[in-house]
Amino acid sequence: MIGVLDNEASASVRSHGDEQYGRRIEADRSWTIYHVFTGIPASQEGLEMIGLSRSVATDGMLSLNCRNERRRKEYMNGLLRVSVLLQTARAN
């Protein structure tokens, strides 16, 4: 029996540039990596991430989520730098 957590993804509040992916098992027992906010299968290099084994789906989901976490941090760091620059400019 497949555990409940195997089909669930922990989604956070969506922000600019932030995408969260989960994995789900399909009726044919294959796995799909999907966007948790839309339910649409993820695609990589033009190929939908469907019909996967559990281990490939897990690795792919973790990879996509790590990549997007890095992008989110870069975006937030950029906002912080702009905020500091604006504060410095206002102080002068």
Side-chain angles (χ1 to χ4, degrees):
M1 181 174 195
I2 297 169
V4 172
L5 293 177
D6 285 341
N7 276 339
E8 294 180 355
S10 56
S12 61
V13 175
R14 190 173 188 182
S15 65
H16 177 77
D18 189 28
E19 302 291 330
Q20 293 291 316
Y21 295 93
R23 64 177 184 172
R24 66 178 175 231
I25 193 164
E26 304 294 350
D28 66 358
R29 310 286 295 165
S30 69
W31 290 79
T32 297
I33 301 172
Y34 69 99
H35 184 263
V36 297
F37 298 106
T38 66
I40 296 171
S43 62
Q44 187 76 12
E45 299 176 10
L47 299 173
E48 286 190 325
M49 301 181 89
I50 60 176
L52 308 172
S53 69
R54 181 179 179 178
S55 62
V56 170
T58 300
D59 291 346
M61 176 191 70
L62 293 173
S63 176
L64 286 171
N65 286 334
C66 285
R67 179 190 70 186
N68 291 321
E69 179 66 15
R70 285 190 303 274
R71 286 181 181 171
R72 186 189 65 77
K73 286 180 180 178
E74 288 170 3
Y75 174 78
M76 295 306 289
N77 286 337
L79 289 179
L80 181 60
R81 283 191 295 273
V82 169
S83 176
V84 169
L85 288 172
L86 289 174
Q87 289 176 0
T88 302
R90 288 183 189 137
N92 292 333

